[in-house]
Amino acid sequence: MRTLYLLLFLQLIYCAVDGQTSDKKKLYSIAVSNSHSSYPFSTGVALVTGPYNPGFELAYNPTLRQRQKHEWVANYAASYLFHRFNQHAISLYAQFGYRYKFTSRFHADGMVGGGYLHSIPATAQLKLNEEGEYENAKGIRRMQATVNAALGIRYYLSTSPGNKNVFLRYQTSIQTPFVKSYVPMLPYNTLLLGVAFSIQR
Amino acid sequence: MKYLFLLFAAILLMNFGCKKAQVVATEAVTIPAPWTDTSTVHPKNAAFRSLIEKYRAKGLPGISLLVTDASGTWIGATGKADIERNIPFTTGQVSKSASITKLFMGTLVFKIIEDSARTGVGYSWLQQPISRYLPTAITSKIANGSVVTLGQCLKHETGIPDLIEESKFYLAVLNHPNRKWKPEELLEFIYNKPALFAPGDTAIYSNTNTTLVAMVIEAATGKKHADLLRQYILQPLNLKNTYYQPHDELPTHAAQGYYDLYNNQTILNVSNLVTGSGNGYGGMYSNIFDLKVFIEALLINKTLLSARSLTTMQTYGKQDGPNEYGYGIMKKFVSRGANAGIGHSGRDLGYSANLFHFPARGVTHIFFINYGTDAASTLRDVFNAFQEELLNLTLQ
């Protein structure tokens, strides 16, 4: 039920924003990622050199408000992360933020957001049955909340507004409640490399 | 766009191609007892069998148990070594003995002392500061690191924080599940942390202490402590079923380890979340047969160490909860007075083990369980009840 409420909430946000931006180009993005479990913003080049916990993100990125040098932006995303021996994490989240245009081609942004994370254990999860034997605990998945903050840069391949751009985003997110007694909040740092493109209506 | 997909494919390849699990799917292998098994004629045969079956049914995945008393040796096993593949947990099952590794390390220190003609260290080694052997760049960043002695490390009287208590450590284990940690990398988790107490004031168990012992051994001898363990203990005792992760490749019949990671009464296979094995405080895999040989040589027949070493080793310090510590050895269940056990316990993420001799009763008990019992789960209570009932049964 919580999942349903969350999806409805995200849908409402999407509709509200979509209404405001219906006269603009629709920007979508796809990105690949590597994530590390570590304290927020504490991971540096290791996100490039490994270890690799691969993932990807599909997103819709509308511009909410636009000025000559500034933009208020949003990112509605669905993502997947595979963390070996730990979990498959599928999340739906919304991010809102501010983008500054250094030049017509080079922009930087900061965003905060949150959403829902569906955690599927990456190793066998077993449950004791009434006969005292363990069996696969099929169907037991974990509903988690996630909050995040991100810093990113993007480079536009042409100077026309809303055109294709490549972006690099450093994102820290917290998954909770993870393990009550040891790791109640599991932080991840993620580096995403992606491309955004527009689809004309 | 195609470049993006290529990048994604490359990341996936790197992830799947470079990391080999240290604990692979368990194969069924029968390791027979190296003696004629007379368990069925032991007067407590039915009681011991009933005990392990009771606690298997309550959720302990796999158990192997050995009890030696005046009536002989009873061995038995139940449950699964690999639940997913339906592999039984057998009496000779190789499983992780976790911190029982520390008892091997303590024994090794005394073996090195006894071989002073070659190693150049004597009993005074125990009183020497670790800073004599380890670089200042390390000891200066560890609380009390410049003053604690090798002996205080063995007796947990250093006040040095336990690296495995650090949340950063667990995040790192999640991040690098199969990593073969170097001791210096592990020490970084407690660098510049405040001391828990002044050296010698009291005793609080800290895994960091035994990592420092391993480092001092290597600095003093110029040899790897894993090689010395093999040279001084494993080979002379012919412990063929004992492995030191990750220095030895684990056999394909090693048990999987399980844990109620999410505290929701389900268990997960956590065999390959490796918590710094091979750095003195944990990592040894063995079975009840090999541990029996070891504890008999050490504490019962007393053939492994000299009388002086054994007496020194069993000089216990201040009480830490239900435990007291000698030099690398643990006296547990001290609330039972004369019926306290001497040896060591082992608790790791997915595994538990006990190796104790109760001299007042002439009893030894050894068990392996492939479940990590320190989680805030009702299974911890199940484990504690098992241990308590076993003690009551064996010490009657």
Side-chain angles (χ1 to χ4, degrees), chain B residues 64-85:
Chain B
S64 61
L65 173 65
L66 178 150
V67 179
T68 295
D69 58 18
S71 303
T73 296
W74 186 90
I75 56 172
T78 186
K80 305 295 178 191
D82 188 328
I83 300 168
E84 301 97 296
R85 289 161 197 83

Side-chain angles (χ1 to χ4, degrees), chain A residues 37-38, chain B residues 167-177 179 181 189:
Chain A
S37 59
S38 49
Chain B
S167 56
K168 251 185 167 178
F169 172 72
Y170 284 101
L171 289 177
V173 168
L174 282 176
N175 220 25
H176 306 271
R179 186 167 187 157
W181 293 90
F189 291 106

Side-chain angles (χ1 to χ4, degrees), chain A residues 53-66:
Chain A
N53 297 308
F56 63 87
E57 179 198 80
L58 303 172
Y60 169 58
N61 336 123
T63 302
L64 305 179
R65 191 175 287 267
Q66 196 168 309

Side-chain angles (χ1 to χ4, degrees), chain A residues 67-78:
Chain A
R67 294 288 182 270
Q68 190 176 0
K69 296 290 277 185
H70 315 272
E71 280 178 351
W72 291 99
V73 292
N75 185 44
Y76 304 106

Side-chain angles (χ1 to χ4, degrees), chain B residues 351-366:
Chain B
Y351 301 90
S352 304
N354 268 18
L355 172 62
F356 285 102
H357 178 59
F358 301 82
R361 296 285 178 147
V363 169
T364 298
H365 84 221
I366 306 167

Side-chain angles (χ1 to χ4, degrees), chain B residues 30 49 53 95 100-101 107 142 161 228 234 249 264 281 285 341 346 373 381:
Chain B
T30 302
R49 172 55 58 187
E53 293 301 341
S95 187
I100 291 172
T101 307
T107 307
I142 298 173
L228 294 170
L234 305 188
E249 187 168 343
N264 62 359
Y281 60 80
Y285 281 69
T373 49
D381 301 331

